[in-house]
Amino acid sequence: MSGAITTARWERVHEALQATLDLDPPARATHLAAIGRTDPALREEVESLLSSMTGTGRFDALVRQFVAVNGHEQVPERIGAWRPIRLLARGGMGAVYLAERADGAYDQRVAIKLLPAGTRADLHSRFIAERRILARLSHPNIARLIDGGTTGDGLPFLVLEYVEGEPLTTWCDRKALSLESRLRLFLDVCAAVSWAHANLIVHRDIKPANVLVEAAGGDDPRVKLLDFGIAKLLDDEPFDGAPATRADLRLLTPDYAAPEQVRGEAATTATDVYQLGVVLYELLSGRRPHRFASRTLDAIEREICGKDPVRPGVAFDQSPDDRAPDGSAIANARSTTPKRLAKSLAGDLDTIVMHALAKEKERRYASVEALAADVRRYLDGRPVQARPDSLAYRAGKFVRRNRAAVLAGTAITSLLIVLVASTIVQNGRIQAERDRAERAAGFLADLFEDLEPAQARGSMVDPREMLDRATERVSIEMEDDPLLQAELFDVLGSVYQMRGFFAEAETLLRNGLALRERVLPPDHEDVAASRYTLAYLLGDTDRWAQAEPLLAQAVAVLRDRFGDAHGRVAVIEVWQALARLDAGDLPAADSILTAAIEKLRSPDGDPFELTTALLYAGRIRIARGDPYAAAQPMREALDIRIGLFGRQHPTVANALDGIGEVKQALGDWSGAEATYRDALAIRRTLFPPDHADIGASYHNLGIALHGQGRNAEAAVMLDSAFAVLEPAFGADHSLVRVTLAYRDSVGN
């Protein structure tokens, strides 16, 4: 709020915006970057006006409104008890004036925000709400409300503390502040936002322009959070009584908008966590996480909701165009060199930022306090709570959710590329890990080149052959790097498992675990992840007694690392509950699962893993003779999975099996049959005929047909089930034994 807006300045803004509007969308970003190179404030003014437009967005209407209300340099003679001195700024929510007491009773300068005449009703409501919100806030890092009222013409106004400062990023760059100094200022911003949240207020528009830094005695900087114009009271309805819509994006700055805001969903404290993550990204790297091909709502949504940003440690050295500052200039503004800046950002700082920027609200920091706590841990040289998932963990989770994606050779190729190449940026904690990831990506590139049809003499390579070749090469070529070899063994083992090649999968997963146990300490997170991945396979093949000690070892490490209440701990507890269920200990299984579900419902929980827990909670209730109680968790799991993946997904078929089990337990055999057939139809579109999940569907249908007395049909289904399941699992697997038992009961 420093500096008057002169007539000449407004003419410059008008000229710049008109020139931008005349360009096609792809050229606008380049044009705005050119403006920002010479006049960053002008670029921000133009972008703000672009984002606030509706319809054709003609700037002339805004100019006419400005002239009508302000007469260019003409300011009101009096606003309440205050005499305006000059115009400070203007935006979609009104004009802001520097003012002083009209009666001269005491010397005090303030900023007065005045709503223009003829303002839309919804903006009028927001303006009044801003006054109500600011009245609840009193914090040293928040510009305080001093007065408010209505002019003689009926226009509402706010009298605010005048902050004569610069935007956070501008201040830091001008002072060439180090990363440490920037982080300490960022903690002040977090303190202000946290205070707002404690008062049930979500800011919803956190950006450097709304965070000013002023010198308070000497050169000691003081941070002030401004502009609660679109903030929301968490205990109130939306200001206009209607739910949020994508059109509300016109009130936001797209560069800092969270995915849920772009989609028109309700803003929560997690929204402010995301916006703080964007501010931190820019504060550290000198870049913004997203680059827009155009400023249309669809383009903004595709970018923010669909694309993961490059990590700050990589982004700072990637100029969006030749007019933007290069990596050297950004490093200089942080009193360091590009090489040192990349090293400083890689690892914990990258991880903190990316955790705050998670697309899903539940995957971000649970609160602003949690984000600030990790920043403090970094500054104190202590381990941060947010850390990138290991490759083994990501591989297992990906494959469990995407069984269909590992059936075709091209899908296997995509899976391996994504999982391994992504470690180049995700495992950047130390240079050795980055080198390892780059080597893995190079290895895969060579492998897939060998598997091209031309190299394979014009024939398509069978997926099993692809996996076998990859395994052979990893075994030979990666012997000098046991940790990389272990990571690739885990990925390949998980893919083998989901294709039903259990013996090969077990060999690889055991080899990966042995390599990690040889190189890493026993309480290392990657060792725990490897144990869990192997235990998952053992449980999948009905060897729960072997899985239990691995699960116990893994969960002990994760409890020590994340705390007992963390979602990662709960995931393993679900499998511990299943081991107890297999042993016939229903009370223990129920107790463990109930606690795990509570943890998985927390912000740290994974929605998909929650559905797994809910399905087994339903099965335990069926086993305890209460199928009515089983229906609710089964239905919730199905609804969540459909919401996550759509209906044509293998995990949805698994959830339908749970609904079928409830109907079966209630004696609704025909209803169970219909549900099982729905699950089979999904699986037939995704899996080959000999896949174990197809066999499970045949098994379920055989039981449902037998329950209706249709024994001839049941026998055919059970024979088909055995023909698929016995080669996949072996004769000793419980599902195979139950299939044979039912087959015997329906006769020959």
Side-chain angles (χ1 to χ4, degrees):
M1 288 190 292
S2 59
I5 299 182
T6 64
T7 302
R9 183 63 172 175
W10 272 101
E11 289 174 351
R12 177 73 182 107
V13 172
H14 188 185
E15 177 186 352
L17 183 63
Q18 284 295 163
T20 305
L21 290 171
D22 291 337
L23 297 171
D24 57 22
R28 286 184 182 176
T30 301
H31 179 66
L32 287 168
I35 294 174
R37 181 68 174 170
T38 57
D39 192 341
L42 176 60
R43 173 178 176 168
E44 187 165 335
E45 289 165 355
V46 172
E47 288 180 336
S48 177
L49 290 168
L50 282 169
S51 67
S52 68
M53 293 180 187
T54 58
T56 59
R58 300 308 301 168
F59 179 72
D60 292 336
L62 292 175
V63 172
R64 286 196 298 272
Q65 184 185 63
F66 172 76
V67 172
V69 175
N70 300 292
H72 289 278
E73 287 299 311
Q74 299 299 315
V75 298
E77 292 186 2
R78 187 168 176 139
I79 300 177
W82 306 88
R83 181 175 64 81
I85 299 172
R86 67 175 186 270
L87 183 69
L88 291 173
R90 174 157 185 86
M93 289 286 288
V96 181
Y97 301 96
L98 176 66
E100 61 187 8
R101 289 281 299 188
D103 56 12
Y106 53 90
D107 184 20
Q108 182 182 20
R109 290 196 166 188
V110 297
I112 297 183
K113 181 185 283 192
L114 177 66
L115 194 68
T119 303
R120 298 194 320 264
D122 62 323
L123 291 183
H124 188 281
S125 298
R126 289 180 185 275
F127 192 92
I128 299 302
E130 181 179 7
R131 184 165 64 193
R132 184 158 50 106
I133 285 169
L134 287 169
R136 296 173 62 158
L137 296 178
S138 177
H139 189 274
N141 296 118
I142 296 176
R144 71 184 186 280
L145 177 68
I146 296 173
D147 193 6
T150 305
T151 68
D153 297 330
L155 301 178
F157 66 86
L158 305 176
V159 181
L160 306 166
E161 175 186 0
Y162 174 54
V163 182
E164 191 170 9
E166 293 178 279
L168 177 64
T169 49
T170 304
W171 169 279
C172 291
D173 287 351
R174 185 170 63 81
K175 297 285 188 179
L177 293 188
S178 65
L179 293 183
E180 180 179 347
S181 297
R182 290 166 183 258
L183 290 171
R184 296 199 183 282
L185 287 176
F186 179 75
L187 288 175
D188 290 341
V189 185
C190 290
V193 178
S194 179
W195 179 260
H197 289 180
N199 284 272
L200 303 180
I201 295 165
V202 181
H203 190 285
R204 303 202 295 180
D205 194 22
I206 301 170
K207 56 187 178 183
N210 285 338
V211 181
L212 297 189
V213 184
E214 63 178 357
D219 203 32
D220 183 31
R222 181 172 59 188
V223 168
K224 290 286 186 179
L225 179 62
L226 314 174
D227 202 351
F228 282 79
I230 65 167
K232 183 183 186 301
L233 292 167
L234 288 172
D235 53 356
D236 280 1
E237 293 299 316
F239 300 133
D240 57 3
T245 67
R246 291 178 71 212
D248 286 333
L249 190 63
R250 68 183 183 271
L251 297 170
L252 306 172
T253 306
D255 299 84
Y256 302 92
E260 60 270 19
Q261 290 177 294
V262 176
R263 291 191 297 263
E265 300 168 0
T268 67
T269 54
T271 304
D272 282 353
V273 169
Y274 181 93
Q275 292 186 334
L276 285 168
V278 179
V279 171
L280 184 57
Y281 189 109
E282 185 174 359
L283 197 62
L284 297 177
S285 73
R287 310 285 187 204
R288 292 173 185 169
H290 293 289
R291 302 169 188 172
F292 304 101
S294 71
R295 292 277 166 164
T296 65
L297 287 177
D298 287 340
I300 292 169
E301 182 171 10
R302 281 195 302 272
E303 178 67 29
I304 293 178
C305 301
K307 295 183 181 179
D308 289 323
V310 176
R311 289 184 164 242
V314 176
F316 88 90
D317 208 19
Q318 297 180 347
S319 298
D321 55 64
D322 57 6
R323 298 176 183 86
D326 60 19
S328 295
I330 290 173
N332 288 338
R334 285 147 185 79
S335 296
T336 188
T337 65
K339 184 175 182 180
R340 289 176 179 172
L341 180 58
K343 184 176 181 180
S344 296
L345 293 178
D348 285 344
L349 287 179
D350 272 352
T351 301
I352 290 170
V353 172
M354 300 306 287
H355 194 55
L357 292 180
K359 303 292 185 190
E360 306 88 354
K361 291 187 286 188
E362 65 274 6
R363 302 297 292 171
R364 297 172 202 156
Y365 284 101
S367 64
V368 175
E369 293 88 341
L371 168 59
D374 250 3
V375 172
R376 291 190 194 94
R377 290 187 188 96
Y378 172 82
L379 289 171
D380 294 341
R382 295 182 289 127
V384 301
Q385 290 297 309
R387 290 187 60 193
D389 295 329
S390 67
L391 182 59
Y393 177 75
R394 292 199 308 278
K397 187 165 67 172
F398 182 95
V399 176
R400 285 196 296 278
R401 296 189 188 203
N402 296 276
R403 288 176 181 259
V406 300
L407 298 178
T410 55
I412 294 174
T413 298
S414 300
L415 170 66
L416 296 176
I417 288 175
V418 169
L419 286 174
V420 180
S422 69
T423 62
I424 293 175
V425 292
Q426 298 220 31
N427 281 354
R429 295 180 60 79
I430 58 175
Q431 187 62 41
E433 289 178 342
R434 180 167 297 187
D435 292 343
R436 182 174 297 121
E438 289 174 347
R439 184 184 178 192
F443 163 77
L444 288 176
D446 291 343
L447 173 66
F448 299 137
E449 184 177 348
D450 290 345
L451 298 178
E452 284 291 322
Q455 299 293 328
R457 303 177 187 272
S459 62
M460 294 302 293
V461 180
D462 180 81
R464 171 62 184 268
E465 183 182 354
M466 176 182 286
L467 288 169
D468 290 347
R469 287 192 197 179
T471 300
E472 182 180 5
R473 288 194 57 180
V474 170
S475 300
I476 296 171
E477 297 178 24
M478 300 297 167
E479 280 190 319
D480 63 325
D481 192 338
L483 290 180
L484 175 57
Q485 191 175 53
E487 288 180 342
L488 292 173
F489 279 162
D490 281 348
V491 174
L492 291 167
S494 295
V495 177
Y496 270 116
Q497 179 181 347
M498 291 306 107
R499 283 194 54 81
F501 306 136
F502 296 109
E504 295 85 349
E506 183 175 351
T507 297
L508 287 171
L509 296 180
R510 287 192 181 278
N511 287 344
L513 174 58
L515 287 168
R516 286 198 171 98
E517 288 180 330
R518 191 182 79 206
V519 176
L520 300 172
D523 60 349
H524 194 282
E525 183 183 344
D526 287 353
V527 175
S530 203
R531 288 170 177 159
Y532 166 63
T533 304
L534 176 58
Y536 177 82
L537 169 70
L538 294 171
D540 207 15
T541 52
D542 207 28
R543 289 176 286 170
W544 290 106
Q546 296 178 45
E548 272 198 289
L550 292 169
L551 293 170
Q553 292 166 351
V555 81
V557 171
L558 294 186
R559 279 199 183 104
D560 183 63
R561 177 70 182 82
F562 297 108
D564 182 64
H566 199 278
R568 291 276 295 275
V569 172
V571 169
I572 298 181
E573 288 177 337
V574 170
W575 289 93
Q576 288 183 304
L578 300 187
R580 291 292 82 215
L581 179 63
D582 180 74
D585 189 352
L586 291 183
D590 198 6
S591 175
I592 295 170
L593 206 53
T594 299
I597 288 172
E598 183 177 352
K599 296 172 188 177
L600 288 168
R601 291 190 189 279
S602 73
D604 287 325
D606 184 316
F608 173 75
E609 302 292 357
L610 171 62
T611 64
T612 302
L614 290 168
L615 287 173
Y616 283 107
R619 290 188 171 110
I620 287 176
R621 292 174 186 179
I622 291 173
R624 302 187 80 170
D626 192 0
Y628 289 101
Q632 186 275 327
M634 294 285 199
R635 172 57 62 180
E636 183 182 358
L638 176 63
D639 291 344
I640 292 173
R641 287 189 174 182
I642 291 175
L644 288 172
F645 309 118
R647 193 166 183 86
Q648 290 298 113
H649 196 273
T651 65
V652 172
N654 296 342
L656 284 170
D657 283 347
I659 300 296
E661 291 171 31
V662 172
K663 293 178 179 179
Q664 181 177 306
L666 292 170
D668 180 9
W669 294 105
S670 62
E673 178 193 353
T675 303
Y676 290 145
R677 289 192 184 278
D678 286 344
L680 176 59
I682 293 172
R683 287 170 174 148
R684 278 177 167 162
T685 65
L686 302 173
F687 297 140
D690 61 347
H691 194 277
D693 283 9
I694 298 284
S697 275
Y698 292 153
H699 166 93
N700 292 337
L701 279 168
I703 294 174
L705 292 167
H706 176 51
Q708 297 174 73
R710 296 156 59 187
N711 288 345
E713 296 173 74
V716 172
M717 280 293 175
L718 292 168
D719 283 341
S720 298
F722 180 80
V724 174
L725 295 173
E726 197 274 338
F729 293 120
D732 291 333
H733 193 279
S734 61
L735 187 59
V736 177
R737 294 199 306 270
V738 171
T739 299
L740 281 177
Y742 270 100
R743 179 64 182 83
D744 291 341
S745 70
V746 300
N748 296 318

